[in-house]
Amino acid sequence: MSVAGKVALPRITGSTVVLCLGAGAALAGSVLAAVALPGVWNLLAPLLCLAGLGVAWLVWFRSRQALAAVGGQLQTMAASGEINLVPPRALGSMGQVVSPLNSLLESARNQIERLKGERRELQIHARVAETEKHNAEAIIFSISDAVLVTNRYDELLLANEAAEKLLNFKLAGNQRKNVDSVLGDATLVQLIRDTRSHGRSFTRKVVEHVVAAKGDGRTFNVTLSCVMNGSDEVSGVVAVLHDVTREKEISRMKTDFVSNVSHELKTPLASIKAYIEMLVDGEAESEETRQEFYEIISTETDRLHRLIENILNISRIESGVVKVVREPISLSGVAKQVLDVSSPQAKLKNQKLVEKLAPVYYQVEADHDMIYQAVMNLVSNAVKYTPEGGTVTITVGADERRNTGFCEVSDSGLGIPADDLPRIFDKFYRVQANNKMAKGTGLGLTLVKHIVEIVHGGTLSVTSEVGKGSTFRFELPLVK
Amino acid sequence: MSRKILVADDEAHILHVVSMKLRNAGYDVVTAVDGEEALELCKSECPDLVITDYQMPYMDGLELCLAMRATEATRNIPAIMLTARGFDISPADVEAAGIRAFLAKPFSPREVLRKVEELLGAPAGVV
C-alpha cells in the first residue's frame, strides 16, 4: 500500500484508479488463498500478491505515461493556441480514449484553419474596400467641379470643397441631413429630388442652372445621375456642377465678333457695290464725278484690306507665325508719323492734338510697322472716344535709369468703367457703355497688346476714369 | 413740289451715293450723320420718308424710328432701314418703330430707289 500511496501522489486521478484496481486484485488473491487452501497456498499467497501488485504497477505506469502525454499535449496546445494531435506511440492502453479525442481535435483544427482563411480573406476585402473608398473620395475631392452625393432619403452623404464653396455650406456637421436644410438653392434641391423620385427613367440628365453668386450669377451644367443598388433600386443621387460661364461668354464673344466683323466688312463692301452700280447705270454724268467714284471704290477696297489684315495679324501673332523685322527705331519718329495721319480726323471733331516728344536719339529695337500700328490704334481710339473739342496727348519719353522708352496716349474722353478695365484687351471685347460713341470690332486693343507684349516683350498698361479720360502707356527696352 | 427724303448714315460714302441716286431720280434729299441729328431734321424738315442706317453713334436707327413715333409731327413718316445686321431687330420693334422695309448692306442703289417709289410713288415732275 505504501508503494500505491507513494505512486498515487501524481495529480492525474485516473492513475490512482488503475493503481487501486491492481492492488485490489493482489489483496483478493491473498485473501482467497488464506481461506480456501491454507497449506500449499500459504507459500504461494505472498508470491501471488507480489505478481498482482506487479501487474497493477505496470498498468498504472502505462496509463500514467499515456495520460501524461495527453495532458502535456493539451498544455502545449493551450500555451501555443494551436491544435496538435496526440502522438500514436504514446497512446498505449489509452488508445480507446485518445483516438476519438484526436478525431475531435482534427475536426476542430480544420474548422479553425478554415475560419482563419475566411478571416484573412475578409481582412483583404476590408482593406481593398477601404482603399477604394479613399480613392473615390480623393477623386471626388480633387475634381474642380462641384460634386454632391445624396442617399435615397435626399440626405447629404458627400460633397467636395468646390461644392462647399459654391453652395456656401460645410460638409462637416451636415452629413446625413436633408439637402433642403443644407442647401439654400431651392432649384438644385428640387432637381436632386426629381432625379431620385423618377428613378431609372432619369438615370442621367444634364440641366443648365444659374447659381446665384456675389456679383453676377454663374451658369452651370448640372449632371444628375441616379445611383442604383444591386436590386436595381435608386440608392441615391450624384450631382456634378460644371461651370460653363466662361464657355458661354466665349461663345457670346465669338458670335458678337462674327456679327461685328461682318458689319465692318459689309460697310466698305456696300460702298464698293453701290458706286460700281452707279457707274454701270450711268448715274455719274461728268468725268469728274466718275473720277470721284473710282477714288471712293479704291479707298474702300483699301479699308477692306486693312480690316482683313488686322484680323489676320492677330491670328498670326497668336499662332506664332508672324514675321518680325527688328531694327533700332525712334518712338518719337513713329508718334510723329501717326499724328500726321490722325490730325485730319481730330480736326473734324475740333480736338486738340498735343505732342510731347522726347529727342529722336532714344531708340528701341522693334518692328517699325507693328509699333506704328500699335500707336495708330491707341491714337485712333483716343480720337474716337473723345467728344468734340476734347484733347488727345501723345507723350514719348525715356527712363534711362530703368533703360526703357515709353509712349503714352491720353485723352479727355469718356473713360472706361472700372468693371470693364480688366477686359478691354480681350479679343472682341467692347465697352458696352461707350458702344454708341464709335464703331469697332473689339480687335484694336487686342492687337496693341499682342504687338507690345507678345512680339516685343514690352508692357502695356491703362488707367482710366469715367468722364475724365483714359491713358494708355507702353514701355519697351532702350537700345544701349 | 417734289417729295423730300431724309437719309441718315454715319458712313459719308453711303450717304453720298444714296443721296445722288435719289436726287438723280428727282427727289429732294436732306442728310444726317447720326441719329440725333436725323431726329432734329425730321422735326424741322418734315420729310416724306426716312432712310436710316441701323448702327450709328449717339442714337441708332431703331431708337431714331421709335423716337419719331413718339412725336406728333413725325409719327406718320415711313422709314426704310438700311443695315448690315437687320437680324438684331425683333419683329415687335419693327412694328413699333414703323419700319416699312429693310435693305441689307451691301445694297443696290437701284433697289433703294425701287422701294422709295413703292412707298411714295414717283416724284412729282418726273412721271
Side-chain angles (χ1 to χ4, degrees), chain A residues 239-470:
Chain A
V240 181
L241 288 86
H242 177 64
D243 192 341
V244 291
T245 315
R246 181 76 183 140
E247 287 159 40
K248 283 182 84 73
E249 178 72 4
I250 288 170
S251 163
R252 193 191 58 76
M253 287 197 325
K254 277 184 181 165
T255 312
D256 284 359
F257 167 72
V258 171
S259 171
N260 279 321
V261 163
S262 67
H263 180 267
E264 290 298 302
L265 291 172
K266 279 175 180 177
T267 304
L269 202 58
S271 291
I272 295 166
K273 181 182 160 78
Y275 282 95
I276 288 174
E277 192 188 288
M278 294 289 274
L279 286 167
V280 169
D281 287 357
E283 302 265 4
E285 285 161 5
S286 67
E287 182 55 36
E288 195 187 341
T289 312
R290 278 195 291 278
Q291 201 58 45
E292 185 199 349
F293 282 17
Y294 297 140
E295 288 292 329
I296 291 169
I297 291 167
S298 172
T299 54
E300 290 300 279
T301 312
D302 288 344
R303 179 176 161 188
L304 202 55
H305 179 238
R306 269 202 312 278
L307 182 64
I308 293 167
E309 275 300 303
N310 258 355
I311 299 168
L312 286 178
N313 277 336
I314 288 180
S315 165
R316 281 190 201 120
I317 292 172
E318 285 185 345
S319 56
V321 296
V322 68
K323 192 175 169 223
V324 187
V325 183
R326 286 176 200 278
E327 54 187 347
I329 60 165
S330 152
L331 286 177
S332 293
V334 174
K336 193 82 188 141
Q337 290 168 340
V338 171
L339 283 168
D340 287 347
V341 177
S342 308
S343 61
Q345 208 186 346
K347 215 176 217 172
L348 271 178
K349 295 179 80 175
N350 293 319
Q351 290 170 347
K352 203 160 78 174
L353 276 184
V354 179
E355 49 179 82
K356 297 177 181 170
L357 308 179
V360 290
Y361 61 77
Y362 288 114
Q363 295 197 314
V364 294
E365 193 170 85
D367 183 302
H368 172 272
D369 292 355
M370 285 194 179
I371 295 299
Y372 174 86
Q373 176 79 68
V375 178
M376 177 58 107
N377 285 6
L378 293 179
V379 173
S380 162
N381 272 355
V383 171
K384 277 205 289 191
Y385 294 101
T386 299
E388 294 220 2
T391 306
V392 173
T393 309
I394 304 190
T395 311
V396 172
D399 183 340
E400 289 190 59
R401 194 176 48 81
R402 288 172 55 227
N403 194 41
T404 53
F406 68 86
C407 175
E408 214 170 73
V409 179
S410 49
D411 61 58
S412 62
L414 300 181
I416 301 161
D419 285 349
D420 291 289
L421 266 184
R423 301 191 56 193
I424 54 167
F425 298 112
D426 288 359
K427 216 187 301 175
F428 325 135
Y429 191 79
R430 297 201 68 211
V431 177
Q432 287 299 318
N434 303 345
N435 212 0
K436 287 184 177 170
M437 182 82 176
K439 290 182 180 179
T441 51
L443 292 177
L445 286 178
T446 311
L447 191 56
V448 176
K449 190 157 183 85
H450 279 36
I451 289 172
V452 171
E453 296 192 346
I454 300 179
V455 179
H456 291 94
T459 54
L460 174 65
S461 58
V462 59
T463 52
S464 190
E465 196 175 333
V466 174
K468 293 201 169 170
S470 309

Side-chain angles (χ1 to χ4, degrees), chain A residues 69-70 72-78 80-87 98 101-106 108-109 112-113:
Chain A
V70 173
Q73 191 74 4
L74 289 173
Q75 272 177 340
T76 308
M77 282 189 260
S80 68
E82 282 179 14
I83 294 180
N84 292 309
L85 299 187
V86 181
V98 172
L101 179 65
N102 266 351
S103 302
L104 184 67
L105 289 175
E106 177 89 41
R109 187 163 69 174
I112 286 170
E113 284 305 317

